[in-house]
Amino acid sequence: MAALARSALRYSARHEAAASDSFADHVVAGLSDTPKWLSAKYFYDAAGSELFEEITRLPEYYPTRTELSILERCAKDISGYVPLSAALVEFGTGSTKKARLVIDAAPQLAAYVPVDISAEFLAAEAAAVRRDVPWIAVLPVAADFTRDFDLPQQIRSRPRVGFFPGSTIGNFEPEDATEFLRQAGRVLGPGSTMIVGVDLIKDTAVLDAAYNDAAGVTAQFNLNILARMNRELGGNFDLASFRHHAFYNVGHHRIEMHLESRKSQTVTVAGRRFEFRKGETIHTENSYKYTIDSFRALAREAGWRWATTWTDENNYFSVHALRL
Ligand code: AVJ
């Protein structure tokens, strides 16, 4: 389980500029703004990571199982994009399950470099991969994958394959997604390959259901950010006074998640008071969806050449191979 495993994601460049790296400063900046917002990266404390793992098993939440089915079915093809004695560099390793599918299908890989902000989590996952795949060099890097970081010097002379599954890229504003891919290209270097998982635009009812599950797990996941502020920042949010609200915004090609105040109320958190009107929301997440073409265009804009795309039979999810 990936406690604290998902790395820092910028909600948008504007929000990044407004908020510093501390959770308290971030909360004060986001809740002082109009409309109110918080970055999705703060969902993933231990409780939130647990809830996200639960989300991935929900019947309505198709992305995780669909991507896994694509990686399984297309593993041999994908391995064709992995050069001899290459290093697989995974950006923001939540769980190594997906990387293991690639590693199993590509015995020519010499090294696996999981990059994650949580050193503790990385150490445990790295040990497990070393035990199961002893012929591969496992070289974890504890870093914020959205920033510049140095690859381990052991892989300096190896070809690199970047791996960014899970449609985590959907949490970025499109301009920030472009900037991320450009940055990944700088880290990996010319001649590299990048394998990226991207959720696709589809029937609105399917999208809405994936973020409004009948069991209410996504609601708990969303509301956990209030509980986290109570735990860590001395907040007094009454969770019953807020409602999970998620919907597909057709014009912006994104799922938006909000927490809506059920009444007019004042909340204290991080030593500050914040007023909520009845019906006012905190915007807690965007999850952008792409078409195969719109993602190709974004990758091209970031300097990557599109090589191929794998999808499932419903065209719900896509895995792209890009070359630099
Ligand atoms: C981890 C960002 C891919 O957007 O689908 C799941 C997070 N939020 N349910 C997504 C999430 C609500 C997830 N990502």
Side-chain angles (χ1 to χ4, degrees), residues 113-179:
V113 181
V115 182
D116 201 277
I117 201 134
S118 166
E120 201 186 319
F121 165 77
L122 263 180
E125 285 291 310
V129 176
R130 269 186 209 112
R131 187 194 56 223
D132 298 342
V133 199
W135 59 89
I136 209 166
V138 182
L139 308 163
V141 173
D144 176 349
F145 74 86
T146 65
R147 314 263 163 96
D148 241 314
F149 62 89
D150 290 322
L151 290 173
Q153 62 95 23
Q154 295 98 308
I155 68 159
R156 214 157 270 171
S157 60
R158 298 197 180 285
R160 291 87 187 253
V161 179
F163 187 47
F164 194 40
S167 203
T168 307
I169 200 158
N171 269 160
F172 293 91
E173 293 300 307
E175 316 81 73
D176 292 336
T178 309
E179 188 41 46

Side-chain angles (χ1 to χ4, degrees), residues 198-258:
V198 183
D199 196 12
L200 295 174
I201 294 173
K202 61 184 64 62
D203 185 42
T204 302
V206 175
L207 286 166
D208 282 343
Y211 296 82
N212 288 286
D213 59 289
V217 181
T218 308
Q220 280 185 62
F221 174 73
N222 197 5
L223 287 159
N224 175 60
I225 193 75
L226 302 181
R228 181 174 182 184
M229 289 189 280
N230 288 350
R231 284 191 293 266
E232 297 182 21
L233 305 176
N236 65 352
F237 282 97
D238 170 23
L239 272 58
S241 298
F242 287 85
R243 184 177 76 86
H244 165 70
H245 182 47
F247 63 95
Y248 185 60
N249 182 325
V250 179
H252 283 105
H253 317 293
R254 69 191 190 201
I255 288 282
E256 292 185 16
M257 294 218 309
H258 295 258

Side-chain angles (χ1 to χ4, degrees), residues 1 27 31 118 132 140 162 262:
M1 213 290 316
V27 163
L31 297 188
S118 166
D132 298 342
R262 294 180 189 269

